[in-house]
């Protein structure tokens, strides 16, 4: 019984594959300069979702000044349901972020000056066409959190996710424990 498949989560390598597949969409998919710019923006958004576990409400709050390419980090501002935090950027994000930042208007403060709900709907629809296992943005975020819990202690993951309460982070750990219990029941020799 595979925990990831059972719960609908993606392993780290599967998330990276989704990211790379989206980045490498064929150039003929783009209908002009605006479409190419939107793709660059969406690559940055998807990277933040996959590598930093950022949720939609936080994406709207990120400003250009929050990105520090020299330190390889990004500040994710808190929202009504999350705390602010500084997270490391993945090496795969640096160049796309730099290219995207170079194309933004100088006076634009927000990193993403768009209607995020429309962008997310389009992005998730596109990802579903590329990989039918993709359901929604929450599934991607949940996958990131579950993967982090396998690598870091629960307090680190609480900080990384921006959860205000440890119980929010524990919920993801609990799902992992439930799967272990099922496997124990299935394979226990005293069954």
């Amino acid at each position: 019984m595979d925990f990831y498949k059972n719960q609908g989560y993606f392993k780290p390598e599967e998330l990276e594959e989704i990211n790379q597949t989206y980045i490498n969409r064929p150039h003929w998919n783009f209908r002009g300069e605006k479409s190419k710019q939107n793709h660059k923006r969406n690559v940055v958004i998807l990277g933040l979702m996959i590598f930093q576990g950022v949720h939609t409400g936080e994406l709207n709050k990120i400003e250009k000044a929050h990105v520090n390419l020299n330190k390889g980090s990004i500040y994710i501002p808190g929202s009504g349901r999350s705390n602010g935090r500084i997270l490391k950027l993945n090496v795969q994000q640096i160049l796309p972020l730099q290219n995207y930042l170079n194309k933004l208007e100088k006076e634009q403060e927000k990193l993403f000056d768009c209607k995020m709900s429309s962008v997310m709907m389009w992005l998730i629809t596109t990802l579903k066409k590329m990989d039918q296992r993709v359901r929604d943005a929450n599934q991607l975020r949940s996958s990131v959190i579950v993967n982090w819990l396998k690598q870091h202690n629960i307090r680190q993951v609480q900080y990384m996710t921006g959860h205000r309460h440890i119980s929010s982070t524990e919920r993801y750990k609990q799902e992992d424990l439930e799967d272990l219990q099922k496997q124990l029941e299935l394979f226990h020799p005293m069954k």
Side-chain angles (χ1 to χ4, degrees), residues 74-88:
I74 186 166
Y75 171 71
I76 310 297
S79 66
R81 61 183 205 190
S82 66
N83 292 325
R85 62 226 183 255
I86 297 173
L87 298 172
K88 288 183 72 170

Side-chain angles (χ1 to χ4, degrees), residues 22-67:
Y22 184 78
I23 288 173
N24 296 325
R25 286 181 64 213
H27 66 278
W28 59 80
N29 281 340
F30 309 118
R31 294 190 181 125
E33 196 54 42
K34 183 162 176 59
S35 181
K36 288 177 185 175
Q37 252 332 94
N38 288 343
H39 178 68
K40 288 179 182 179
R41 177 201 61 213
N42 294 345
V43 164
V44 172
I45 289 172
L46 183 60
L48 290 170
M49 292 168 58
I50 286 178
F51 295 112
Q52 284 77 34
V54 176
H55 63 75
T56 309
E58 295 169 328
L59 287 167
N60 282 325
K61 296 179 179 280
I62 301 173
E63 298 178 3
K64 289 191 310 190
H66 295 155
V67 178

Side-chain angles (χ1 to χ4, degrees), residues 6 11 13 15 23 33 35 40-41 56 64 69 74 79 88 96 117 120 145-146 151 158 161-162 164 174 178 185 191:
N6 202 25
K11 296 177 182 176
E13 58 272 11
L15 288 170
I23 288 173
E33 196 54 42
S35 181
K40 288 179 182 179
R41 177 201 61 213
T56 309
K64 289 191 310 190
L69 293 176
I74 186 166
S79 66
K88 288 183 72 170
S117 59
M120 290 306 295
I145 296 169
V146 166
Q151 298 173 340
Q158 179 188 9
T161 59
R164 291 185 186 260
Q174 185 63 38
E178 288 172 6
E185 290 170 5
K191 182 179 165 190

Side-chain angles (χ1 to χ4, degrees), residues 11-158:
K11 296 177 182 176
E13 58 272 11
E14 293 172 322
L15 288 170
E16 287 188 31
E17 185 180 322
I18 289 169
N19 188 53
Q20 280 304 312
T21 302
Y22 184 78
I23 288 173
N24 296 325
R25 286 181 64 213
H27 66 278
W28 59 80
N29 281 340
F30 309 118
R31 294 190 181 125
E33 196 54 42
K34 183 162 176 59
S35 181
K36 288 177 185 175
Q37 252 332 94
N38 288 343
H39 178 68
K40 288 179 182 179
R41 177 201 61 213
N42 294 345
V43 164
V44 172
I45 289 172
L46 183 60
L48 290 170
M49 292 168 58
I50 286 178
F51 295 112
Q52 284 77 34
V54 176
H55 63 75
T56 309
E58 295 169 328
L59 287 167
N60 282 325
K61 296 179 179 280
I62 301 173
E63 298 178 3
K64 289 191 310 190
H66 295 155
V67 178
N68 187 333
L69 293 176
N70 291 331
K71 289 186 177 179
S73 66
I74 186 166
Y75 171 71
I76 310 297
S79 66
R81 61 183 205 190
S82 66
N83 292 325
R85 62 226 183 255
I86 297 173
L87 298 172
K88 288 183 72 170
L89 292 168
N90 184 289
V91 70
Q92 296 175 40
Q93 294 176 278
I94 303 291
L95 193 56
L97 252 169
Q98 186 175 26
N99 289 337
Y100 177 70
L101 287 168
N102 288 340
K103 296 286 184 178
L104 292 181
E105 306 277 329
K106 294 225 186 294
E107 62 277 352
Q108 181 179 331
E109 288 183 30
K110 289 181 113 188
L111 189 59
F112 308 111
D113 193 19
C114 57
K115 187 174 179 189
M116 193 55 69
S117 59
S118 299
V119 170
M120 290 306 295
M121 189 180 334
W122 188 91
L123 181 58
I124 295 300
T125 301
T126 304
L127 292 176
K128 284 179 182 180
K129 290 176 185 173
M130 294 181 337
D131 188 328
Q132 295 175 346
R133 298 172 300 162
V134 174
R135 291 189 314 255
D136 55 28
N138 288 334
Q139 176 195 26
L140 297 177
R141 177 172 162 82
S142 295
S143 297
V144 171
I145 296 169
V146 166
N147 292 328
W148 282 345
L149 282 167
K150 291 182 183 305
Q151 298 173 340
H152 306 287
N153 75 51
I154 198 160
R155 287 293 181 184
Q156 287 175 302
V157 176
Q158 179 188 9

